[in-house]
Amino acid sequence: MKRLVVARLLQAAAVIAVVVTSVFVLLQFAPGDPFAASLEGTDIPPGVRAEWRARYGFDLPPGERFVRWIGALAHGQLGYAASQRRTVASVLADALPRTLLLVGVALILGFTFGVLAGLLQVRHHRRWPDRLLGALTLGGVAMPEFLLGLLAMTWLGARWRLFPVAGLASEGDVNAWPLWERALDHLWHLALPAGVLALSVAARVARHQRAALLGVMQEDYIRTARAKGVGAWDVLRRHALPNAMAPVIALLGLAMPSLVGGAVLIEKIFGWPGMGLTLFDALLARDYPLILAATLLSTVVVVAARALADLLAAAFDPRGLRAT
Amino acid sequence: MRTRHLLLAALSLAVACRGRDAGSAGGTLIVSVGADAETLFPPLAVASQGRVITELLYDKLADIGPGLNTIGDVGFVPRLAKSWEWSADSLVITFHLDPAARWHDGRAVTARDVQYAFHVWTDSAVGAASRSWLSSVDSIAAPDSLTARVHFRSRNPEQFYSFVYALIPLPAHQLAAIADTSLHDAPEVRAPIGSGPFKFVSWTPRARIELAANETYYRGRPKLDGVVFSVAAQGATVAAKLFSGEADFLEQLSPPDFAQLPAHADVRAQAYGGFDYAFLQFNTRDARSAARPHPLFADVALRRALSMAVDRVTLVRSVYDSLARTAIGPFSRTQWTADTTLAGIGFDRTRAARMLDSLGWRAATEGAVRTRDGRRLSFVLLAPASSRTRQAAAVLLQEQFKQVGVEVTIESVDFNAFMVRAQRGTFDALMGAMRTTASPRGVRDVWGTPGPDRGGSNWGHWSNAVFDAHVDSALAATGTAAARAQFRVAYQAAIDDAPAIWLYEPRMFAGVHRRVHITPLRPDAWWSGIAEWSIDPAQRLPRDRRAPATP
Amino acid sequence: MASRTWQRLRDDRAARVAIVILGCTVAVALLSPWIAPFDPTFQPDPVGLRLAAPSWRHPLGTDVFSRDVLSRLLVGARLSLGVAVGAMLLSATLGTALGALAAVVGGWVDWLVSALVDILLAVPRLLLVVALVATFGALSPVWLALLLGGTGWLTTARIVRAEMRDQQQREYILAARALGASRWRITWRHLLPAVAPQVTVAAVLALAAVVPLEAALSFVGLGVQAPLPSWGNILLDGSDYLTTAWWLVVFPVAVITGTIGAALVLADRLRTAIAGQEYGR
């Protein structure tokens, strides 16, 4: 077991190092820096822009810049996000909780409903619930997220006014409201973006879950259980589901990066300025301290989540664990 | 949620009945914008969002009048300066500051603030925009705390306008202690203390900026309680907020937004003069090396032939329907220098084809791309991904050029990359747009020969001596009639030489919620009258009621 | 065993329908330059025919530049399906190969593959593509397929590895091992067929994911450049007119959904056919 932990840690360190370095190298090919187009229209002489570049280290050769960044990182300093004119730490402190909330809620809802839908489909295999859910999940998979988002915003938001169109909170005398009401308002604003994401996730999970369950349901031990008179739901719940969770858990592991990377288009459409939008804008502005910090964060989360997913898989299927 | 609204209404009613004056004051204006402000520091806030907000936070010494006159001081209305006098030789202007003017923290606005602002604006370490506008100012003296005496080195017709528009008094007591080089990202600059009708409350980056009415504003408290700028990153969302009732004002309705207007009864469109014009700009220098002339576009005849091949009327009708007019030249019709009688190149496809033939560009077969000496008549058109209308215009242009045997590839890049490439000159042609100002001087920066003392916005490196000479004369002319005559010659030279294909001038239509009473919108600054706007008390929404904000 | 699978598939009505639909779509896509009624970039009348509702002349209406939507969908299918199929094949192959390697060889190979997965996982796909486009400029469809395929194998690899490791514990594998079968033989004859159902589903889902991804790229302005039509940028053009020109959105969505739906049904039936027996029958 100890060997496993050490191997995992080494792997984690290697992965983080490779990702961050590759992103940095990639950025060097992209022309521009945050100061090139910032404050366009101003009469900032080239000399002054050059001075700003020098102040934030943009004029150094790439290798030295990278080393400096790592050095600063070692002291716990994430640097300065020139494209937003504030520290990287404050940018992340704003954006990360928003994305965690959005994607977290979407993933929880999506996976729950996806697994349930898959179960329902198999329980009523080839009957109308199966077909109906199949059609719905097909729609969820085929439709691009941004289109779903735009449709939801236009109809549910702007036309029928069931939900707010965008933003983190309502305007108005929010500070005078009690905390519970503010929280409720925040959730109301979360409803559309998280809902659209959850739909997308649920559709994919449902399809995977259905396929996995159907595969398991053909096993002999299932037939034995049915022959013994175990009810259909019990069979599904106690025998089939645990054995069919492996691919779904794999999916969950794969969805982890979006907890940090965010859902760029949904955030863009619904005015939810989280990590996805931040990283996207940072990429376009070539703001490398921000990009690197966000990438680092994302990698750490991925590595941690992967370990968690592996543990969960082992918990569901002890046979797999014994083999390692 | 309906119960929540009822609850809210009941609460608000209770609050309102506590004796707060609910006359014509009150209400919060929510402005839906598509981008966050980059900075709220006046010397650097030129990009539209930052500028709108700084002009609400900071008052100028004097403001331009509704006639938008920029010559002399005719029509200018007093702001921080209650009055001013000219010396006999017009080289000294003495401003008398309003003794009632206060900064938002209560301190008085003094001449020292004007001096400090001058220092900041002219310091190259700060890199202020419009620094060149102050080049003729020699110094500012402060004989007493309410008098600022400005000494000029030279006279020019727009002397007054340049000065009061470039220089906005800054709170020396807040900022003087900070080194100039650190000003642009100092924390004080993120929580500005201004002198204007609205004061700063909060800034949630990428989300919203909130301003509240300045209760002790020297010209009278604004009728609104506050203004909130609500940021949305997506064009469709910006308009959707207006339609759903989450915002009250939108600066410009795009053509797709207009199509949705009939379905929403509580939003109306308000027309006002526009100052924008869009064009396809040719690069007269080689995209790979600025020292060499462009293999295609250095030739005037080719540029003219290409201009002739474009059916601008159809293009404008298609992209904008009736919401834009065809552009005439490097100016906007709303400017006082505009001349609608100028002779454009006109649309004539057959003649354009013949011109191309005569230049040696022949098509091997019908509908093929023209070639000359083995070189194809083909170029790359750069368009910013951020502007849907310019993208649409580019697609239409591509097809129109195809009809005369010219092959155009559209390269759509993000705005940052677009600006970088424009500034570096690494493009063949680009879809550009200019927002002009009340003053016509900008045309020299954009279309005049780039020089060491001029701004560098002439990305296509076009140079025409006739144009330069006449624009200089026009800007030095003493009367509007003389200036107009000079501008006419200059504009005609620009149209004939075709450094760009002048495409369209969008009409400006703002989207306004019906409960908001607005003043006429100034084309160069729609926000200039916000202090006079009000919200109909009978139609107030729950979100209009708020307790006085504490910054 | 394979012939029995095909036999079962042939007998399956739903599978036959799906194959026909997919076959037609692919055929139409390949033949589109010849069967499209109009040139997809042709703008007959950018003012008069702008956003025209479906009519006899233009059965699916025209878009904002008066281009025929039907023609654009047909020619766009070529591009979008080409990119999607290319990406799918690449990602399925890579994913299966790497997943199998990780599961069967184990040890440091497993470590390496999972490190590779984590590396690619750390950056969301859209952002990776955005970064590449920002760096190298607009991507051609071929590069787009390579890129999307090269980053889309993670799901497949994960599933293959998980499933194969699971299968490796089964009695029949242990028995085969005891009988002296080589690892290669076991992989080829037993493990790969065991994961084939999951892989097909994953591959089809990967296919299904490429089209929206390509649309997303167009949405942020970095996708296939005008005037080339792709399903993605047709959707983008239509997204501005959701409430006023429904044909710009409804028809592309119907086509995309139909194609992906047929592919998913086929995958489902294929999985059943391979398994040989079916739950509920």
Side-chain angles (χ1 to χ4, degrees):
Chain A
M1 193 63 190
K2 222 195 298 189
R3 242 185 341 164
L4 186 68
V5 171
V6 169
R8 278 269 188 276
L9 278 176
L10 270 178
Q11 183 184 17
V15 167
I16 293 173
V18 169
V19 171
V20 172
T21 314
S22 324
V23 169
F24 184 81
V25 168
L26 187 67
L27 284 176
Q28 299 319 305
F29 290 102
D33 59 67
F35 303 106
S38 78
L39 308 172
E40 39 96 12
T42 50
D43 193 15
I44 299 177
V48 175
R49 284 196 202 263
E51 211 187 287
W52 288 352
R53 282 197 195 96
R55 176 125 46 110
Y56 297 112
F58 279 88
D59 62 336
L60 298 167
E64 201 183 322
R65 230 192 296 165
F66 193 53
V67 168
R68 274 218 188 171
W69 182 77
I70 294 188
L73 195 64
H75 287 99
Q77 299 200 351
L78 289 169
Y80 183 78
S83 63
Q84 291 204 28
R85 309 193 110 70
R86 46 192 187 127
T87 60
V88 169
S90 70
V91 173
L92 294 180
D94 275 344
L96 189 57
R98 292 178 193 147
T99 295
L100 282 176
L101 183 65
L102 173 67
V103 179
V105 167
L107 282 181
I108 291 174
L109 285 176
F111 270 86
T112 311
F113 282 106
V115 168
L116 278 174
L119 277 171
L120 264 173
Q121 281 189 288
V122 172
R123 171 74 181 86
H124 301 281
H125 189 45
R126 298 188 152 263
R127 294 202 290 275
W128 71 264
D130 186 17
R131 299 199 191 282
L132 177 65
L133 280 172
L136 284 174
T137 54
L138 170 63
V141 165
M143 284 265 268
E145 256 164 28
F146 77 85
L147 198 62
L148 270 174
L150 281 175
L151 281 170
M153 185 183 73
T154 311
W155 288 102
L156 295 174
R159 279 290 176 94
W160 298 330
R161 304 198 180 176
L162 293 172
F163 292 97
V165 156
L168 297 164
S170 296
E171 293 298 335
D173 210 357
V174 198
N175 292 321
W177 295 354
L179 188 63
W180 66 266
E181 216 182 317
R182 262 188 281 168
L184 224 75
D185 181 61
H186 197 45
L187 283 178
W188 188 43
H189 281 263
L190 183 66
L192 273 187
V196 168
L197 267 181
L199 219 82
S200 215
V201 169
R204 280 176 180 77
V205 170
R207 294 211 83 94
H208 268 292
Q209 180 75 88
R210 181 179 178 276
L213 273 173
L214 285 177
V216 165
M217 293 300 275
Q218 281 142 217
E219 300 284 332
D220 291 333
Y221 64 90
I222 298 290
R223 289 221 196 142
T224 317
R226 289 292 269 144
K228 279 210 225 153
V230 183
W233 265 118
D234 279 339
V235 167
L236 271 174
R237 204 167 40 84
R238 285 212 304 252
H239 300 282
L241 189 59
N243 292 309
M245 285 300 276
V248 173
I249 292 186
L251 267 182
L252 188 64
L254 285 168
M256 284 297 137
S258 50
L259 269 179
V260 177
V264 181
L265 296 188
I266 297 293
E267 288 182 3
K268 212 169 197 283
I269 292 171
F270 288 101
W272 196 269
M275 287 296 292
L277 198 54
T278 303
L279 196 50
F280 183 76
D281 289 340
L283 274 168
L284 293 183
R286 325 282 194 261
D287 191 353
Y288 81 88
L290 187 51
I291 298 172
L292 287 178
T295 312
L296 178 66
L297 196 61
S298 169
T299 316
V300 166
V301 167
V302 162
V303 166
R306 181 156 164 19
L308 189 70
D310 277 351
L311 279 173
L312 273 176
F316 268 109
D317 187 0
R319 287 183 300 171
L321 183 59
R322 232 180 289 136
T324 51
Chain B
M1 280 309 137
R2 216 160 279 155
T3 38
R4 210 168 61 79
H5 279 145
L6 272 174
L7 186 67
L8 215 57
L11 268 171
S12 340
L13 203 60
V15 168
C17 287
R18 269 205 229 130
R20 179 146 178 232
D21 179 29
S24 63
T28 308
L29 180 77
I30 316 272
V31 181
S32 184
V33 294
D36 197 9
E38 282 205 54
T39 172
L40 294 181
F41 188 45
L44 297 175
V46 215
S48 55
Q49 251 359 92
R51 186 148 160 254
V52 173
I53 299 173
T54 49
E55 293 205 358
L56 290 175
L57 288 172
Y58 294 87
D59 258 2
K60 304 186 183 60
L61 287 168
D63 203 355
I64 202 172
L68 296 184
N69 167 53
T70 57
I71 306 237
D73 66 355
V74 177
F76 278 77
V77 293
R79 287 279 183 269
L80 285 177
K82 222 161 80 155
S83 62
W84 55 85
E85 296 112 32
W86 295 72
S87 68
D89 59 1
S90 299
L91 284 178
V92 182
I93 306 181
T94 309
F95 290 92
H96 299 284
L97 299 177
D98 194 324
R102 294 276 179 280
W103 295 106
H104 292 153
D105 60 359
R107 302 270 282 264
V109 177
T110 65
R112 162 125 169 75
D113 299 318
V114 180
Q115 282 177 315
Y116 174 69
F118 179 64
H119 162 76
V120 167
W121 244 275
T122 48
D123 189 352
S124 62
V126 174
S130 62
R131 189 161 49 113
S132 54
W133 290 26
L134 294 172
S135 53
S136 67
V137 177
D138 183 52
S139 62
I140 299 186
D144 62 66
S145 70
L146 287 181
T147 314
R149 193 164 290 147
V150 184
H151 297 265
F152 290 85
R153 278 189 212 107
S154 61
R155 283 175 286 264
N156 76 77
E158 287 189 333
Q159 185 180 346
F160 189 81
Y161 167 75
S162 305
F163 181 73
V164 297
Y165 254 68
L167 195 103
I168 299 175
L170 297 172
H173 64 277
Q174 187 206 18
L175 299 173
I178 305 170
D180 282 355
T181 46
S182 309
L183 272 174
H184 70 112
D185 56 4
E188 283 85 349
V189 151
R190 288 187 79 86
I193 295 177
S195 52
F198 291 93
K199 55 184 183 193
F200 176 81
V201 174
S202 69
W203 185 0
T204 312
R206 300 290 211 262
R208 65 200 286 275
I209 298 183
E210 184 175 345
L211 309 178
N214 182 0
E215 305 283 341
T216 54
Y217 187 51
Y218 62 100
R219 287 177 42 232
R221 184 195 187 280
K223 299 201 181 91
L224 294 168
D225 278 340
V227 182
V228 173
F229 290 85
S230 183
V231 183
Q234 187 61 34
T237 313
V238 175
K241 274 203 234 179
L242 180 68
F243 293 134
S244 75
E246 285 160 59
D248 303 316
F249 187 86
L250 176 56
E251 176 184 344
Q252 187 176 15
L253 290 167
S254 66
D257 300 334
F258 245 94
Q260 290 194 58
L261 209 51
H264 299 96
D266 46 2
V267 177
R268 63 184 171 88
Q270 175 70 47
Y272 61 109
F275 261 149
D276 298 355
Y277 64 94
F279 45 89
L280 181 157
Q281 186 170 16
F282 297 112
N283 192 354
T284 55
R285 300 235 155 246
D286 195 330
R288 276 166 302 253
S289 151
R292 294 198 303 259
H294 195 278
L296 294 173
F297 300 136
D299 180 7
V300 181
L302 181 65
R303 298 200 302 258
R304 286 182 60 94
L306 289 176
S307 302
M308 210 176 290
V310 173
D311 181 359
R312 295 173 312 150
V313 173
T314 305
L315 185 139
V316 173
R317 287 281 318 273
S318 176
V319 177
Y320 274 98
D321 197 12
S322 57
L323 301 180
R325 296 178 285 205
T326 41
I328 306 172
F331 57 88
S332 156
R333 259 172 259 242
T334 329
Q335 284 183 293
W336 61 267
T337 60
D339 192 329
T340 49
T341 64
L342 291 165
I345 290 183
F347 168 57
D348 190 335
R349 196 170 281 153
T350 21
R351 207 168 138 223
R354 268 186 288 136
M355 269 183 80
L356 289 172
D357 281 334
S358 70
L359 286 171
W361 295 100
R362 308 279 168 131
T365 54
E366 180 76 41
V369 177
R370 290 171 188 267
T371 54
R372 182 177 82 173
D373 303 330
R375 201 210 157 82
R376 287 161 72 91
L377 186 47
S378 156
F379 64 92
V380 175
L381 179 58
L382 197 66
S386 49
S387 168
R388 297 284 286 143
T389 40
R390 276 190 261 173
Q391 297 259 316
V395 174
L396 288 162
L397 283 169
Q398 183 182 42
E399 183 66 19
Q400 290 189 3
F401 281 131
K402 190 166 151 197
Q403 312 254 331
V404 286
V406 181
E407 182 186 49
V408 175
T409 316
I410 300 177
E411 199 174 328
S412 170
V413 292
D414 62 271
F415 187 68
N416 191 305
F418 179 79
M419 289 301 292
V420 168
R421 288 186 55 178
Q423 284 162 2
R424 289 191 190 163
T426 52
F427 64 93
D428 286 330
L430 58 74
M431 298 295 295
M434 271 305 143
R435 172 156 289 188
T436 62
T437 58
S439 158
R441 80 176 52 217
V443 75
R444 188 175 63 177
D445 289 333
V446 181
W447 301 106
T449 307
D453 58 332
R454 291 190 184 152
S457 298
N458 189 342
W459 301 323
H461 305 283
W462 177 67
S463 179
N464 183 308
V466 172
F467 178 79
D468 290 340
H470 283 278
V471 166
D472 285 339
S473 310
L475 291 175
T478 42
T480 45
R484 270 222 183 92
Q486 293 289 340
F487 271 120
R488 197 195 147 75
V489 180
Y491 289 155
Q492 188 67 63
I495 293 171
D496 292 338
D497 217 27
I501 304 179
W502 318 103
L503 293 173
Y504 54 83
E505 290 176 39
R507 288 181 211 267
M508 298 297 276
F509 283 92
V512 191
H513 195 270
R514 68 177 169 173
R515 81 184 197 295
V516 181
H517 296 305
I518 60 176
T519 55
L521 300 170
R522 245 172 60 186
D524 67 322
W526 60 262
W527 57 88
S528 54
I530 287 188
E532 318 289 317
W533 296 8
S534 64
I535 290 183
D536 185 358
Q539 295 184 57
R540 276 202 224 149
L541 297 173
R543 60 173 160 81
D544 281 329
R545 292 175 219 281
R546 64 202 305 140
T550 41
Chain C
M1 185 169 158
S3 58
R4 278 214 306 273
T5 307
W6 292 122
Q7 179 77 36
R8 278 193 287 267
L9 206 62
R10 267 211 309 276
D11 290 338
D12 189 332
R13 197 182 58 163
R16 281 206 306 271
V17 170
I19 290 177
V20 165
I21 293 180
L22 279 175
C24 284
T25 315
V26 170
V28 158
L30 285 172
L31 293 172
S32 57
W34 295 279
I35 58 176
F38 293 92
D39 179 337
T41 63
F42 177 54
Q43 302 168 7
D45 185 356
V47 175
L49 271 182
R50 181 178 179 270
L51 293 177
S55 62
W56 280 116
R57 195 164 160 71
H58 297 279
L60 298 188
T62 63
D63 71 358
V64 70
F65 300 116
S66 80
R67 299 180 295 204
D68 180 40
V69 174
L70 175 61
S71 310
R72 283 183 73 78
L73 270 180
L74 288 174
V75 176
R78 226 171 172 214
L79 202 97
S80 296
L81 277 181
V83 169
V85 169
M88 176 196 81
L89 287 174
L90 184 60
S91 68
T93 313
L94 266 179
T96 312
L98 288 171
L101 266 175
V104 174
V105 178
W108 66 272
V109 172
D110 188 12
W111 186 90
L112 198 66
V113 170
S114 69
L116 198 60
V117 167
D118 283 349
I119 289 170
L120 274 176
L121 209 50
V123 184
R125 226 157 142 199
L126 179 63
L127 290 169
L128 180 65
V129 180
V130 166
L132 284 165
V133 172
T135 308
F136 297 112
L139 295 172
S140 75
V142 173
W143 273 106
L144 204 57
L146 280 175
L147 208 62
L148 292 174
T151 51
W153 54 267
L154 306 176
T155 320
T156 314
R158 280 268 181 114
I159 289 176
V160 166
R161 180 182 175 278
E163 191 65 29
M164 277 198 180
R165 285 183 59 161
D166 191 64
Q167 291 288 329
Q168 277 180 324
Q169 309 312 312
R170 300 290 170 89
E171 285 78 19
Y172 73 98
I173 298 290
L174 295 172
R177 276 272 191 84
L179 282 175
S182 73
R183 276 204 298 207
W184 170 252
R185 188 180 162 79
I186 291 179
T187 311
W188 188 251
R189 292 215 60 185
H190 300 287
L191 291 176
L192 277 177
V195 300
Q198 291 283 352
V199 169
T200 37
V201 175
V204 173
L205 281 177
L207 178 89
V210 168
V211 176
L213 196 61
E214 190 250 309
L217 272 178
S218 301
F219 190 64
V220 293
L222 301 173
V224 172
Q225 301 294 3
L228 277 180
S230 79
W231 285 348
N233 62 27
I234 295 174
L235 272 177
L236 170 68
D237 288 340
S239 64
D240 279 334
Y241 300 96
L242 279 178
T243 49
T244 44
W246 55 268
W247 55 93
L248 289 178
V249 172
V250 167
F251 293 122
V253 168
V255 167
I256 295 172
T257 311
T259 312
I260 293 177
L264 287 172
V265 164
L266 183 61
D268 197 44
R269 301 282 92 210
L270 193 63
R271 182 195 53 75
T272 314
I274 290 172
Q277 52 190 348
E278 196 181 337
Y279 172 69
R281 274 252 160 98

